[in-house]
Amino acid sequence: MGNNLVTVSLDEVEFQLQSEHDFEWLSKLGRVCKVFDQQDSGNISFGVERNSEKVFVKYAGAQTEHYSGIADTAVASLKSAIHLYEELRHPTLIKLIDHFQVGSGYAAIFEWIEGESLHPHWAFPPPAKYTHPDSPCYRFKQLPVETRLASLERIFDFHLHVEASDYVAVDFYDGSLLYNFITNEMKICDIDYYQKKPLINTMGKFYGSKRFMSPEEFILGAPIDERTNVFTMGAMAFALLGGELDRSLSKWDAGILLHEVAVRAVNEDREFRFSSVAEFKEAWDHAIKYVD
């Protein structure tokens, strides 16, 4: 996909596409000061500034460098995600400001979040993601346990809201997280694939990062539900407090009782997990009192 790419220059940024595309409409919003063009979702995103105010613009409709699908599919996907940001509004979730059609494309305007992705695969491909001192993932793991627990609290609180709203967290992983190392604020920036219950796996391999996915997200016809959400929360706990896929106590930073809660959450047998995020959170809150 690296052949015959078209280079596009907008204000302070430059990026490549598979074919020409008109971004003239962006100038009406302000000056383009940042581009996020490494995703394979078919979206390309921009930081746009006007009168010292910044917004985050997510756009579908251009044939981005790393997207192997067709642009219309990406457009339909972004359009269908808009209602999620409206229905699941929450202090931890990036705030949707506006959205509109642009020719054959579609744009969503969000508040600007000062933060760094905890899965910066374009700048720090694994293993550098986990070992390089400048990697946001590595730096986050050096923070005190209490600080990381506070971030998980925000993530869990949002997903209690998701569960209460009858949604399932699909494609939630560390790439969905932005962390501000100055304010210690955690934000969730991407819920585009969250879906309403009841939900059945009609794909075989569901959307998402294998590092955070439950067994049922690989099984055709399996239910995707509260217990799936529980697995995802447990997997996130291991990513932020432990050894990610190495779920041993020796790699865990937050005490044996919380480790037991997280281990139960990621049980391969869904019947042995907590029945809901609410039940998981109750056990987590009880165990957290004993963290040194």
Side-chain angles (χ1 to χ4, degrees):
M1 217 174 285
N3 301 327
N4 306 318
L5 292 171
V6 176
T7 300
V8 181
S9 295
L10 297 173
D11 300 327
E12 299 170 33
V13 306
E14 189 171 276
F15 55 94
Q16 294 188 308
L17 300 175
Q18 294 180 50
S19 57
E20 296 278 1
H21 197 80
D22 181 11
F23 285 99
E24 185 61 35
W25 59 275
L26 264 176
S27 62
K28 298 184 180 71
L29 299 176
R31 185 168 183 78
V32 182
C33 54
K34 193 139 189 175
V35 64
F36 306 89
D37 60 340
Q38 297 299 307
Q39 292 78 13
D40 58 6
S41 61
N43 297 322
I44 186 167
S45 300
F46 304 95
V48 180
E49 191 168 10
R50 168 175 271 170
N51 302 329
S52 76
E53 290 282 312
K54 262 191 199 171
V55 291
F56 178 78
V57 181
K58 184 187 282 191
Y59 176 75
Q63 200 67 40
T64 58
E65 181 180 356
H66 301 287
Y67 182 53
S68 56
I70 57 170
D72 286 353
T73 304
V75 171
S77 182
L78 180 57
K79 274 186 185 176
S80 68
I82 295 297
H83 75 100
L84 295 167
Y85 294 90
E86 296 171 333
E87 289 180 42
L88 297 174
R89 280 184 183 271
H90 187 274
T92 303
L93 179 65
I94 189 172
K95 184 180 177 184
L96 178 71
I97 298 169
D98 196 9
H99 57 98
F100 46 83
Q101 189 87 28
V102 188
S104 61
Y106 207 80
I109 316 296
F110 294 91
E111 66 175 339
W112 178 262
I113 300 293
E114 289 294 344
E116 298 177 65
S117 170
L118 293 191
H119 181 57
H121 59 90
W122 55 94
F124 300 98
K129 170 189 171 180
Y130 302 100
T131 58
H132 195 289
D134 293 335
S135 161
C137 174
Y138 176 86
R139 285 156 52 214
F140 184 85
K141 293 296 290 287
Q142 309 315 304
L143 295 174
V145 170
E146 302 75 35
T147 306
R148 287 180 279 154
L149 283 169
S151 288
L152 272 173
E153 181 71 23
R154 295 189 66 134
I155 291 167
F156 295 160
D157 187 54
F158 173 66
H159 286 93
L160 284 170
H161 172 55
V162 167
E163 183 172 88
S165 305
D166 278 337
Y167 278 90
V168 184
V170 178
D171 192 27
F172 179 66
Y173 71 120
D174 48 2
S176 313
L177 303 176
L178 289 177
Y179 191 75
N180 186 325
F181 285 90
I182 298 167
T183 63
N184 289 324
E185 189 172 30
M186 179 71 83
K187 286 277 191 175
I188 293 170
C189 62
D190 186 357
I191 59 166
D192 284 14
Y193 287 100
Y194 282 35
Q195 294 189 43
K196 197 86 170 174
K197 293 185 305 183
L199 182 61
I200 296 293
N201 182 344
T202 58
M203 299 173 65
K205 183 195 178 295
F206 224 57
Y207 302 107
S209 163
K210 290 178 182 177
R211 294 174 294 123
F212 293 84
M213 291 168 70
S214 65
E216 58 264 30
E217 290 174 272
F218 297 90
I219 301 169
L220 200 61
I224 309 289
D225 56 16
E226 298 93 335
R227 291 176 191 268
T228 314
N229 280 342
V230 167
F231 187 101
T232 308
M233 295 305 99
M236 184 58 73
F238 278 108
L240 302 189
L241 292 171
E244 200 172 88
L245 290 175
D246 180 347
R247 292 168 179 160
S248 61
L249 182 58
S250 62
K251 292 283 176 70
W252 180 258
D253 297 332
I256 191 166
L257 291 181
L258 275 185
H259 183 259
E260 286 174 1
V261 174
V263 165
R264 181 177 167 191
V266 295
N267 197 305
E268 296 285 303
D269 187 334
R270 47 185 278 117
E271 295 307 314
F272 288 104
R273 292 176 216 153
F274 299 97
S275 63
S276 64
V277 175
E279 189 188 1
F280 162 76
K281 185 63 164 59
E282 191 178 335
W284 184 270
D285 289 346
H286 176 73
I288 209 169
K289 298 171 190 169
Y290 301 98
V291 176
D292 293 332

